[in-house]
Structures are given as C-alpha cells and as structure tokens.
C-alpha cells in the first residue's frame, strides 16, 4: 500500500459515495504509521511551523553564539587569540554533534523524535547557562561591558559554564541537520508541485535561520554588549522553549520517513563482501550483479539506485559467484558476502560526495571569522555614531540583510534568467555551480576585510592600553565584508543543503544535511589551528604576532589575505572535483513509476 501511494483509504457509509484520499508517492507515513494523506498532512502548513520553529531556535542559539567571543574576553577573562580559538572549538563541536543526531535519526529514532529530544537538551543547556551566569559569573552585577571588569571566576562557575555551553552545542547540533531534512520531508518530491516547493523550502529555511538571528545580532547583542548578559541568555532560553512548544503542536500534521537501520553496518557489508571477492574475475556484463526484486521495498525503504561505473572494486560485493548461487538455492542469505546493487551504490554515492564536501571546509574557515575575528576587528574601530554605541557583534545584521536580499535576487532574477540563457531542460544554476560562485565571493570578502584592516591600522593609536575603539575608522567600513559573506552563504550553504539532500540515498537524508554542518565544524577547527600556527610563527623573535591582544600592534590584514589565498587554491581543487563528480541516479519508488527520474547536478 505504501509503495503504491495512490488511494490511501475508502470510507463508505450508507447512502454515501466513495471518499478517496490521495496519499504521498514517496513512502511517507503519518503519526499513526499509515500512508500519509496529501490533503491532511505535510505541505506548507507543516513547512511554515518548521520554519517558525527554526527561526525561534536560531534566535536562541545566536543569542549565545554571536557574542560568545566578547563574553569570553570580558567575563571569562581570556585574551583575543584564546577567545577566538574557544569560539571556533565550541562552534565546531556544535556541528560535530550533528553527526550524532543524523545517525540516530536515520538509523533508529526517525527525524521527529530526534528533533524533539535534542531540542529539550538545548533548552536545558540554555537554562543552565542563564542560571550559572547570573549566580556565579557576572560579579559584580553589571560587569562585562567595555568599562566594568568582572571578578575572577570560581572553579565551580567555570565548570558549570562549560557544561552549559556544551549542552547547548549537543542540543543544537543534534537538532539542526534533522530539522532541515524533516522540513523537506513535508513535500512529496514525486509530485511536481510539491517537488518545486521542496526546492524552495531550503531557501526559505536558510532565510528563516538568518531572520531568527537578526534579533540576536541587534537587540540582544546591544543588551549583552552593555553587560546585561543574564537577561540576554534568559531571552534565548524563552525563545528555545517557545520553539519546542510550537514544534510539538504541529505533531498531528507532520509526515515521516521510517528509519532505515544502521548505515554503518550496510557500508561495512559492502566493503567486506567486495574484499572477500577481490580475486574473482568479473565480466563487464551487469547481468551478473545481484539486484533485489522490483517489488521489494526492503532496501533502505527507499527508491532503488541505478548501477553506475566507477569504484568498480565495490561492484564485487554485488557479483553473484557460484558459492552465492549455492547459498541462494539453500535459502541462505549472507549480506556480508552478497549485497544488492542499491546497497553498493549507496556506498559509491557517499564516496563521490566526500571530495566535494572536503572542498567546502576552507569556505567554512572564512565563514567562521564573522563570529570571531570580525567582531574583534569591529571592537577596535570607532563604534560610536551620534553618541550611540554600535555593538561590534551587531554588524552581522548586515550579513543577514544580505542573505535576505540575495535569496530574493537568486530565486526571482538570477535562476530564471540562467534557465532562459541555457535553453535546456535543466533549470537555472546547478547546485555545484552555485557553490563555486560562493567560493569566489568568499575570496572577495576576505580581500575586503584585509583592506579595511589596513586602513584601520592607519588610523589607529598604536600605544593604547587596550585596543577597543582605538581607531578613528568607523565600524561601518565593515559592511562590505559582512555583505559579501552573506551573498556567498546564499550560493554556498543553500546550494550545499539542496545538493547533499538530493545526492544522498533515501535512507541517509539526515546524514546529507549533517555533511553541511560538519564542513562548518571542521572549518572552525581548521580556523583554530590556523590561528594557533600563525601566532606561533609570527611571534618568534619577540614579535607581537599577527593577532595579539592589542590588534593595533598586529597584522590581522595578513591573516585575512592568507585566507583569501587559501580559498583561491581551494576553488581550483573544487573545479576539478566538480568536473569529476557523477550524480546519483534513482528509480521511482519501488519501480512503480516506469519513468526513471535522473537527479542531475
């Protein structure tokens, strides 16, 4: 019934005609485990609930994350380099936990339960941080602004602080990759109308993410910069709680994919089966490769993946040897010796995605500077406009505005225009092309930041005791670098979300979203490593280094130009990987649809 996905039920009463409800074609089920009815589940009703949930949860997360570097320097009394590294490590950990959430979702819990559980952990972490800050860290009351230093913290206060922020990392990290995919699950890609809505959802999802952080970057950022840290953290806690309640209220409306089991065991089975047949001589014919019955929906509970050339060694796992024939005749099924083509292709899909994924890490190094070094650079500039102090972290609001503008520009102007110019069946700019454009804009952002830093140093007071506000150059000169980062996000991160969701098998959709987040995670760790290496090399011979506590005595501009050069190299490697990449080829659900749909890059 779920495989056919046509008529979900027929309700008959005396004197009434048949009432037929059309259910989804992609195999989704409702809360009760029955085939999902299109008119009563999913669609934009569920999609809007999830978008609002994402906006509120993002407000809560960035209420902590956007000013964390300043909290570490002013309240936790770390220097600039240590604070930047701490933020990078924490942010990296957030996204590492996305793999945990994706694994539990795809394998055992499903996306709904995973989102609910990790959101609860997220709320607990935020409440703990609020209490810890108010009772143990912010002493005397009102400290943590530019002028009032805080007292040294106790070991208990430090321990509770790090426990709290890493609970936040666990909760948000486990929730994020699943909520994006869960939102996409509400649209049936086998239906042409809902399939178009599914593609649009990723753009709106990223827009909701950025709009949610707008309040954090402006209003919350202003109060936290003024020393009202506990108030900011309590507002974040309330927002996260509201997001959780809203998410639970939408429960009857959601569509669900059933978890497909442990993907690690399936991967290991393919590797083991191929290794056992490493000496077998295979013929070029695909007829000798094992394929499941067309009516069998058991493989990953998803659509079959067509056989592709490449990674031919793995094809041995699906090669039917004489021993396999004997086992089949005796009714013995050994998945560690013989795997269906779809299972083999599942491994190939992930292997093909890895080079593309690795090329996105350097971009994430660029992106993470917005939450660390951009803020420290802004703090060393003139932040006063008509007696009004501009919190350095609030400058990221220009990134958000840029994201909103370029999402509109891309969806309404650039993509339709590209589709007309190409005059082909494919629509607009492909995901891989968009990601490449994102890398180019990222180079421009780093060059812009480096030029601004050169001029900031030119108008700086080099002998200041502390470098906050020591340069007469206005903080608004940072607007171009934030705007360029926002433009690059629309092309890179939205393209990534669509690309990894489309190019991963049905049983690994959350893993596809987690790949986007882990690239950000590794980008943060690489950023931390780069800062450490640069400081170690540049501080030799008693030099202050590129990123000292007093930025006026350093050369932050050189670090920005270094990142621009690394991104140029990364773009060259990415072009080669994109040319080599072969897209996944899927058949309709359980082969009921005779027309094979190719998901083209």
């Amino acid at each position: 019934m779920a495989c056919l996905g046509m008529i979900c039920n027929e309700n008959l009463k005396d004197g009434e005609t048949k009432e037929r409800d059309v259910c989804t074609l992609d195999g989704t089920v409702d809360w009760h485990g029955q085939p999902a009815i299109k008119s009563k589940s999913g669609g934009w009703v569920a999609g809007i609930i999830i978008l609002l949930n994402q906006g509120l949860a993002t407000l809560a997360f960035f209420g902590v994350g956007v000013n964390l570097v300043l909290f570490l320097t002013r309240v936790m009394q770390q220097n600039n380099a240590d604070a930047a590294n701490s933020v990078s490590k924490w942010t990296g950990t957030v996204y590492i936990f996305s793999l945990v959430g994706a694994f539990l979702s795809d394998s055992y819990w499903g996306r709904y339960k995973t989102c609910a559980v990790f959101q609860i952990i997220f709320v607990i972490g935020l409440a703990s941080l609020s209490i810890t800050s108010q009772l143990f860290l912010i002493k005397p009351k009102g400290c943590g602004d530019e002028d009032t230093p805080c007292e040294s913290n106790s070991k208990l206060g430090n321990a509770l602080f790090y426990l709290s922020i890493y609970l936040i990392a666990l909760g948000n990290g486990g929730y994020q990759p699943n909520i994006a995919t869960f939102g996409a699950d509400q649209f049936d890609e086998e239906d042409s109308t809902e399939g178009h809505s599914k593609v649009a959802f990723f753009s709106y999802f990223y827009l909701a993410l950025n709009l949610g952080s707008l309040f954090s970057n402006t209003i919350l950022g202003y109060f936290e910069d003024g020393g009202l840290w506990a108030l900011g953290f309590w507002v974040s806690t309330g927002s996260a709680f509201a997001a959780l309640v809203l998410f639970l209220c939408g429960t009857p409306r959601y569509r669900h994919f059933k978890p497909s089991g442990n993907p690690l065991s399936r991967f290991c089975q393919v590797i083991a089966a191929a290794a056992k047949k490493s000496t077998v001589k295979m013929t070029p014919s695909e007829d000798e490769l094992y394929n499941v019955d067309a009516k069998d929906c058991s493989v990953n509970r998803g659509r079959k993946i067509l056989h592709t050339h490449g990674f031919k060694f793995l094809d041995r796992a699906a090669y039917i040897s004489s021993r396999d024939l004997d086992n089949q005749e005796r009714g013995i099924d050994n998945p560690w010796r013989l795997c269906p083509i779809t299972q083999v292709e599942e491994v190939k899909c992930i292997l093909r995605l890895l080079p593309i994924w690795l090329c996105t890490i350097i971009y994430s190094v660029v992106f993470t500077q917005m939450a660390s070094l951009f803020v420290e650079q802004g703090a060393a500039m003139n932040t006063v406009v008509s007696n009004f102090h501009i919190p350095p972290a609030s400058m990221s609001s220009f990134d958000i505005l840029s994201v909103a503008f370029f999402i509109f520009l891309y969806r309404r102007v650039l993509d339709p225009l590209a589709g007309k110019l190409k005059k082909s069946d494919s629509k607009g700019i492909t995901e891989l092309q968009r990601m490449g454009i994102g890398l180019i804009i990222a180079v421009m952002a780093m060059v812009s930041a480096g030029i601004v830093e050169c001029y900031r140093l030119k108008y700086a007071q080099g002998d200041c005791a502390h470098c906050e506000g020591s340069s007469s150059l206005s903080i608004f000169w940072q607007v171009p670098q934030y705007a360029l980062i926002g433009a690059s996000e629309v092309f890179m991160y939205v393209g990534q979300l669509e690309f990894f969701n489309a190019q991963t098998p049905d049983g690994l959709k959350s893993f596809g979203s987690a790949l986007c987040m882990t690239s950000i995670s590794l980008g943060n760790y690489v950023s931390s490593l780069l800062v450490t290496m640069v400081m170690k090399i540049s501080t030799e011979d008693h030099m202050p280094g590129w990123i000292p506590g007093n930025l006026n005595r350093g050369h932050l501009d050189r670090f920005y130009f270094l990142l621009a050069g690394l991104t140029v190299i990364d773009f060259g490697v990415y072009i080669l990987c994109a040319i080599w990449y072969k897209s996944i080829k899927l058949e309709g659900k359980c082969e009921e649809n005779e027309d094979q749909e190719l998901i083209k890059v």
Side-chain angles (χ1 to χ4, degrees):
M1 187 70 168
C3 291
L4 293 175
M6 294 301 294
I7 305 303
C8 291
N9 55 49
E10 295 183 359
N11 299 321
L12 289 176
K13 294 183 180 179
D14 294 338
E16 290 186 359
T17 58
K18 290 184 179 180
E19 178 187 344
R20 296 188 175 186
D21 292 316
V22 178
C23 69
T24 57
L25 298 169
D26 59 357
T28 50
V29 297
D30 61 18
W31 174 247
H32 302 289
Q34 300 299 316
I37 301 172
K38 285 188 177 182
S39 61
K40 298 180 181 180
S41 66
W44 279 113
V45 174
I48 289 173
I49 292 175
I50 292 172
L51 290 176
L52 291 174
N53 167 267
Q54 170 67 7
L56 290 170
T58 304
L59 186 157
F61 177 72
F62 281 100
V64 175
V66 75
N67 261 332
L68 184 59
V69 68
L70 294 183
F71 187 86
L72 290 171
T73 55
R74 296 178 181 178
V75 179
M76 305 303 291
Q77 300 171 4
Q78 295 184 8
N79 61 43
N80 283 334
D82 289 342
N85 277 346
S86 295
V87 171
S88 293
K89 291 175 183 176
W90 177 76
T91 309
T93 304
V94 171
Y95 297 123
I96 283 293
F97 281 135
S98 68
L99 290 175
V100 177
F103 176 80
L104 291 173
S105 172
D106 286 335
S107 303
Y108 305 111
W109 289 358
R111 285 184 265 281
Y112 171 81
K113 181 178 179 181
T114 306
C115 286
V117 169
F118 281 102
Q119 281 189 84
I120 293 172
I121 296 173
F122 184 45
V123 172
I124 292 172
L126 285 166
S128 175
L129 176 64
S130 303
I131 295 171
T132 300
S133 299
Q134 189 165 358
L135 297 182
F136 297 101
L137 301 179
I138 304 175
K139 294 183 178 181
K141 186 177 181 181
C143 73
D145 59 6
E146 286 189 76
D147 303 318
T148 311
C150 290
E151 297 176 358
S152 298
N153 302 311
S154 64
K155 291 183 178 180
L156 176 61
N158 286 336
L160 289 174
F161 169 75
Y162 284 107
L163 174 63
S164 300
I165 63 171
Y166 280 96
L167 274 176
I168 294 171
L170 173 62
N172 189 262
Y175 151 84
Q176 276 295 336
N178 292 292
I179 196 66
T181 311
F182 188 57
D185 291 346
Q186 308 311 309
F187 303 95
D188 183 2
E189 66 181 23
E190 302 270 343
D191 179 277
S192 58
T193 302
E194 290 197 13
H196 179 74
S197 297
K198 183 173 184 175
V199 173
F201 174 82
F202 287 109
S203 294
Y204 297 135
F205 178 85
Y206 200 76
L207 180 61
L209 186 153
N210 280 271
L211 292 178
S213 65
L214 181 60
F215 182 83
S216 303
N217 293 341
T218 52
I219 307 299
L220 280 188
Y222 176 78
F223 285 111
E224 290 174 354
D225 186 65
L228 300 177
W229 294 100
L231 174 63
F233 294 156
W234 278 117
V235 171
S236 293
T237 304
S239 180
F241 181 75
L244 174 62
V245 172
L246 180 65
F247 179 79
L248 295 177
C249 288
T251 298
R253 183 75 193 189
Y254 298 139
R255 297 175 186 172
H256 308 265
F257 278 104
K258 294 179 180 179
S260 59
N262 190 341
L264 294 178
S265 63
R266 299 199 301 272
F267 282 25
C268 292
Q269 286 169 358
V270 172
I271 302 298
K276 289 177 181 178
K277 299 174 183 176
S278 59
T279 58
V280 174
K281 292 184 179 180
M282 294 179 57
T283 61
S285 175
E286 296 183 12
D287 296 335
E288 297 181 1
L289 299 180
Y290 176 54
N291 208 343
V292 294
D293 192 319
K295 296 180 180 180
D296 185 1
C297 295
S298 62
V299 180
N300 301 340
R301 293 189 177 94
R303 292 163 293 183
K304 289 174 61 178
I305 308 176
L306 299 178
H307 176 258
T308 60
H309 299 288
F311 298 107
K312 291 187 177 296
F313 173 78
L314 296 177
D315 286 342
R316 296 176 182 275
Y319 179 74
I320 305 176
S321 65
S322 56
R323 180 176 174 180
D324 295 325
L325 289 173
D326 293 338
N327 288 338
Q328 288 182 341
E329 291 176 357
R330 289 182 292 178
I332 300 175
D333 183 19
N334 184 1
W336 293 91
R337 182 172 180 83
L338 181 63
C339 304
I341 291 176
T342 291
Q343 188 174 342
V344 174
E345 290 298 323
E346 188 179 55
V347 178
K348 288 185 181 181
C349 286
I350 301 303
L351 292 178
R352 289 192 179 104
L353 286 173
L354 289 180
I356 300 292
W357 171 71
L358 289 172
C359 288
T360 64
I361 294 173
I362 291 296
Y363 173 81
S364 296
V365 175
V366 171
F367 175 74
T368 194
Q369 305 313 313
M370 189 171 59
S372 55
L373 292 181
F374 278 19
V375 178
E376 294 180 5
Q377 181 188 35
M381 301 173 75
N382 182 10
T383 59
V384 178
V385 178
S386 299
N387 297 322
F388 182 79
H389 171 65
I390 306 295
S394 69
M395 291 299 293
S396 57
S397 59
F398 289 100
D399 163 78
I400 298 168
L401 294 174
S402 176
V403 167
F405 173 76
F406 276 96
I407 282 179
F408 173 82
L409 182 67
Y410 170 74
R411 292 199 56 80
R412 299 297 182 184
V413 180
L414 297 180
D415 194 50
L417 179 62
K420 292 179 181 179
L421 293 176
K422 291 171 72 172
K423 296 180 180 179
S424 62
D425 294 334
S426 60
K427 287 188 176 181
I429 309 171
T430 67
E431 291 93 341
L432 285 176
Q433 290 169 344
R434 287 157 59 186
M435 291 161 67
I437 294 171
L439 284 172
I440 294 173
I441 300 176
V443 174
M444 297 167 60
M446 285 297 96
V447 171
S448 174
I451 292 173
V452 168
E453 179 63 13
C454 290
Y455 279 92
R456 190 198 68 80
L457 288 172
K458 182 178 179 180
Y459 296 100
Q461 302 172 16
D463 57 348
C464 65
H466 61 85
C467 64
E468 290 195 2
S470 61
S471 177
S472 60
L473 190 69
S474 172
I475 194 174
F476 284 105
W477 282 101
Q478 283 192 311
V479 170
Q481 64 202 60
Y482 278 103
L484 287 169
I485 289 289
S488 69
E489 288 177 65
V490 172
F491 289 96
M492 172 57 79
Y493 283 142
V494 177
Q496 263 188 282
L497 280 172
E498 292 182 24
F499 178 72
F500 287 121
N501 186 270
Q503 297 299 308
T504 47
D506 287 342
L508 290 170
K509 294 297 185 184
S510 293
F511 176 76
S513 296
L515 281 177
C516 302
M517 301 189 68
T518 50
S519 73
I520 301 175
S521 170
L522 291 178
N524 279 272
Y525 286 123
V526 172
S527 175
S528 177
L529 178 63
L530 275 175
V531 170
T532 301
M533 291 175 59
V534 164
M535 286 302 295
K536 183 175 179 61
I537 295 172
S538 62
T539 53
E540 292 181 354
D541 300 325
H542 305 289
M543 297 295 290
W546 287 4
I547 317 173
N550 182 352
L551 291 181
N552 295 335
R553 297 177 181 174
H555 283 285
L556 184 57
D557 54 325
R558 295 178 184 176
F559 184 74
Y560 287 146
F561 292 140
L562 172 64
L563 290 182
L566 291 175
T567 309
V568 170
I569 296 172
D570 181 59
F571 175 72
V573 176
Y574 173 80
I575 293 296
L576 297 177
C577 294
I579 293 173
W580 168 82
Y581 183 78
K582 293 181 180 179
S583 62
I584 187 174
K585 298 178 180 180
L586 298 174
E587 286 185 347
K589 187 78 174 179
C590 304
E591 292 190 338
E592 288 296 327
N593 184 1
E594 294 181 358
D595 296 327
Q596 296 177 352
E597 179 182 1
L598 301 182
I599 299 182
K600 298 179 180 179
V601 178

